[in-house]
Amino acid sequence: MSSFKYKQKKLFVENISVFNLAKRNRTPFYLYSGLQIKENYSNFIKNFKNINPLICFSVKSNSNPYILRFLGKLGSGADVVSYGELLKALKSGIKPNKIVFSGIGKSEEELKLAIKKKILLINIESESEALLINKISKKMNKNTSIGLRLNPDISVKTHRKISTGKAEDKFGLSKKDILSLCKKINNMKNLRLNALSVHIGSQILSDNPYKKSLKIIADIIKKTKIKFKFIDLGGGFGISYRKKEKKIKLKNYSNLVNNFKKKFNCKIIFEPGRSIIGNTGILVSKVQYIKKGRNKSFIILDAGMNDFMRPALYDAFHNIIPITKTNKKIKGSVEFVGPICETTCKFGRYKNYQRLNENNYVAISNVGAYGFVLSSNYNTRPLLAEIFVRKNKNKTIRKRQNLLELIKV
Ligand SMILES: *Cc1c(COP(=O)(O)O)cnc(C)c1O
C-alpha cells in the first residue's frame, strides 16, 4: 500500500493525515486512496501489455459509484452479477459494450435489462439459462451476445469458501456440457455465441491453476472449431494481506496468454476485483474500551463484523495498524474485537502490540475489496461512510446511513 505511509509516526493517505480525518469524521469509516487505484490499474495493464485486454472490473468487490466512475475514466469496463450492479455500472458512465454479466442465477428481470441494453456478454452457466435468454431475445427481437462459463475442475489453493472452479462447486459448465451445448446453441437463433469464460476462484497466489484452465480452453476451441471473438479469463488474482505473503507472478502467465491470443486470434477479457481495489482502502476505527481477559487483553473497537465481515466469514487476516505509532509495547497478547453480539465479531490477535489507549484510532488494512459491499445493518447499525482521498483533497463518496431512516417502522 504505497499510498498509505507513516510520516513522523502518523499514518498518511497520500498527503492527508488519517488522524486529522478521524478527528473530523465519525468513526468507523472506510477510507480510499485514488492514487493507489490508479497505480493498481496501470500495473495490471502493464502486466498484460502485449495483450491489450479489456478489463471488466468486478463490481461486486466494490460498487461505490464514485469509484466505478473513477475506474471507468481509467478505461475499465465492468463485470456485474445483479440488476443493481448493472444499473450502477451504466449510471457510472460505463458503456454497455464494456459490460459482462456473470452469475448462476440470473432472473428474467435481470436478463431482460441486459438484453435491452445490449451489453458485451452474458456469461451463461446452464442450458436452461441459454433457453431462457433465447426466448426473451426472440420476444424482444434481439440478437444477444453470450459466453459460456467453463468449470475446468481445477483445485485452487485458496480458502475453500472462495474456490469456484472445482467440479463440486456450483459455478459454470463442465467441458463435456460445453461441447454439447455449443451444438444446441446453433438452434437457438437469437443467441450469438461470442465467448468462453472462466473464473476459478479468488485470492489465488500461484499462476498454475490459470495455466491449467488456459489449456482446457484451448482444447475446447480445437474440439468445437468455433472461432470465439472473446476469451474471458476472469479474475481471482491474489494480493498480499500479510507482509511475507508471496505475490502472484503474472509474467509467465501473461506470455502464455499472449501466445494463446495470437494462435486463436481473439480479444482477451479479464475481470479483476481484489487486485485492483483490495489494497486501496482502510477501515478507520476507534478504540472504545480496553478490558483485561484471562490471558489476553481485549481491544474493543467501534467497528463490528457488520461493518467488515471478511474475518468472520472467511477467517481472513487483515493487519491492524495504529494511526499514531509509539515505541511502547503492551505486554502479552491482545485481541481486537468489535461490539456485535457474536463471538466471531473479532479482527485478529497480536503479541507485543504497541501501547494503545481508549479513544486512540487504528486502521484495518486492505479492506478495499469485499469490505463495504459485504456490510449489513445487523444489530440495527447504520452503514458506514466512505471517504476518498486524492493528493491533498478528501471527499465523502458515501454518507453514513441515516439512523432515523433505518429505524423507521
Ligand atoms: C468475484 C468474481 C470476480 C472477481 O474476483 P476477484 O478475486 O476479486 O478478482 C471475477 N469474475 C467473476 C465471475 C466473479 O464472480
Side-chain angles (χ1 to χ4, degrees), residues 58 60-61 79 81 102 149 199 201-203 234-237 271-275 370:
S58 170
K60 77 172 191 289
S61 68
D79 169 41
V81 294
S102 308
R149 173 161 173 187
H199 172 73
S202 200
Q203 185 54 14
F237 309 106
E271 304 167 346
R274 193 190 307 271
S275 53
Y370 309 104

Side-chain angles (χ1 to χ4, degrees), residues 38-79:
K38 263 185 137 161
E39 273 183 20
N40 293 350
Y41 190 84
S42 54
N43 278 339
F44 194 93
I45 297 263
K46 228 187 266 162
N47 264 313
F48 295 103
K49 194 169 69 211
N50 301 325
I51 298 159
N52 188 28
L54 172 62
I55 293 174
C56 292
F57 173 68
S58 170
V59 174
K60 77 172 191 289
S61 68
N62 189 317
S63 63
N64 184 292
Y66 188 88
I67 288 177
L68 293 182
R69 191 169 285 279
F70 190 82
L71 279 164
K73 281 186 191 152
L74 296 175
S76 182
D79 169 41

Side-chain angles (χ1 to χ4, degrees), residues 119-131:
I119 64 169
L120 183 66
L121 285 174
I122 303 177
N123 283 333
I124 287 181
E125 306 208 20
S126 63
E127 184 177 342
S128 306
E129 188 186 350
L131 289 166

Side-chain angles (χ1 to χ4, degrees), residues 124 130 133-134 137 143-144 146 185 188-193:
I124 287 181
I133 296 177
N134 188 51
S137 303
N143 285 319
T144 299
I146 60 154
I185 282 178
M188 303 186 198
K189 300 293 179 206
N190 293 70
L191 300 188
R192 296 291 168 266
L193 179 50

